[in-house]
Amino acid sequence: ERRVAERLRSALGPLGLEAHAFKVGWYNAVLLPAFHLPYPDDTLAFVVLSTPSMFDKALKPFVNKERLKIIRDPVDECVSHHLSRVKEKFPDQRVDVMFDYEMLPSRKPKFLAQTAAHVAGAAYYYQRKDVKLDPWGKKKIFGVCIHPKYGGWFAIRALLLFPDIQVPFLEQPAPVDCVSSEEKRIELLEQFNFHWQDGRYRDIIEVKERYSEEQKAYFATPPAERFRLLGLSQ
């Protein structure tokens, strides 16, 4: 696992991407069978996150180089391009990749990104059940992951699975509980569920780095118009 993790870090780090190891069994243990990943419990997997620097380190160079070939979402294509290059670094291993935007025929996502980030210790998934006295009554309240370094200024992009590598002795790291008070958790879920457009929930903790103004503008733009911002024609 260490060798694989190091190889991934050296490939992904310069692109502003992070990879966090987990065992499929940790993920399956907290979900209903309908959502299980179809691999043995000890299978090695990694959850891949994009950090604020991905925009400058990976997306812009990719767009400049692939200008005429981008058809779908530029970020999705950029991540997919780089992860297929990462697969080439493991010629003797089977590597399965699942992206956060992929759906099963049943319209269920291929994997639950926030659960994966939580079990891998990458980011803490704050949910309604983490609040003792909850003020929301019958409202549906969605949970949100907070990264100890980037707060809400990051995204979960993909899973890498290594079906040939079994890691029975991998130790599970707990995610950093960086929003530990009841008041802050209520504020976080409140902002994420009812005011997510203003992005305040992302700064629920002191962050080391956030999206640049240019990157914020990019993600605030409807997907169809993002091509123009990057100087691409649709």
Side-chain angles (χ1 to χ4, degrees), residues 117-178:
H118 187 94
V119 299
Y124 200 107
Y125 183 23
Y126 291 98
Q127 300 176 73
R128 188 172 192 160
K129 63 179 171 59
D130 295 309
V131 171
K132 291 185 192 66
L133 295 168
D134 125 7
W136 300 295
K138 292 208 161 59
K139 288 183 182 147
K140 182 146 179 60
I141 297 294
F142 293 95
V144 59
C145 271
I146 295 295
H147 189 289
K149 199 164 150 198
Y150 306 116
W153 300 101
F154 78 103
I156 303 158
R157 300 290 178 191
L159 292 189
L160 296 173
L161 295 123
F162 290 81
D164 306 330
I165 304 180
Q166 301 295 304
V167 282
F169 304 115
L170 193 62
E171 283 188 21
Q172 185 166 13
V176 180
D177 179 5
C178 46

Side-chain angles (χ1 to χ4, degrees), residues 2-229:
R2 274 213 195 92
R3 281 210 313 277
V4 175
E6 276 158 19
R7 215 182 286 179
L8 282 179
R9 279 186 200 114
S10 65
L12 297 174
L15 301 167
L17 297 170
E18 283 183 358
H20 297 262
F22 68 98
K23 253 170 40 166
V24 164
W26 303 344
Y27 174 92
N28 287 351
V30 295
L31 291 170
L32 295 168
F35 290 102
H36 285 185
L37 293 169
Y39 299 84
D41 279 355
D42 288 335
T43 306
L44 176 63
F46 290 84
V47 62
V48 177
L49 315 178
S50 60
T51 73
S53 66
M54 189 271 295
F55 193 78
D56 285 329
K57 287 180 176 169
L59 182 67
K60 284 171 147 180
F62 172 76
V63 165
N64 288 335
K65 208 164 118 251
E66 306 290 331
R67 177 145 297 222
L68 301 171
K69 294 197 209 126
I70 296 174
I71 308 150
R72 288 191 323 248
D73 181 80
V75 173
D76 291 349
E77 294 215 359
C78 170
V79 172
S80 150
H81 164 81
H82 285 297
L83 292 185
S84 55
R85 305 231 345 232
V86 163
K87 276 175 80 158
E88 290 161 15
K89 295 197 187 317
F90 299 93
D92 44 353
Q93 297 292 349
R94 186 176 136 204
V95 187
D96 294 348
V97 186
M98 291 180 186
F99 295 100
D100 65 307
Y101 52 82
E102 290 186 294
M103 296 284 177
L104 294 164
S106 63
R107 305 299 302 143
K108 274 204 300 269
K110 276 200 174 173
F111 73 98
L112 299 179
Q114 309 211 84
T115 301
H118 187 94
V119 299
Y124 200 107
Y125 183 23
Y126 291 98
Q127 300 176 73
R128 188 172 192 160
K129 63 179 171 59
D130 295 309
V131 171
K132 291 185 192 66
L133 295 168
D134 125 7
W136 300 295
K138 292 208 161 59
K139 288 183 182 147
K140 182 146 179 60
I141 297 294
F142 293 95
V144 59
C145 271
I146 295 295
H147 189 289
K149 199 164 150 198
Y150 306 116
W153 300 101
F154 78 103
I156 303 158
R157 300 290 178 191
L159 292 189
L160 296 173
L161 295 123
F162 290 81
D164 306 330
I165 304 180
Q166 301 295 304
V167 282
F169 304 115
L170 193 62
E171 283 188 21
Q172 185 166 13
V176 180
D177 179 5
C178 46
V179 186
S180 49
S181 77
E182 177 88 349
E183 298 75 38
K184 275 284 186 215
R185 289 177 180 189
I186 289 175
E187 185 188 334
L188 170 65
L189 291 173
E190 192 77 16
Q191 287 182 0
F192 178 69
N193 280 274
F194 308 117
H195 310 284
W196 60 269
Q197 290 93 332
D198 65 20
R200 277 179 312 169
Y201 79 88
R202 298 175 188 269
D203 285 311
I204 193 79
I205 59 167
E206 276 292 309
V207 298
K208 304 266 188 301
E209 202 184 327
R210 55 170 64 84
Y211 292 175
S212 61
E213 289 308 315
E214 180 189 14
Q215 186 171 180
K216 279 188 208 161
Y218 176 81
F219 287 115
T221 303
E225 291 157 37
R226 291 175 182 172
F227 286 83
R228 278 217 314 279
L229 277 187

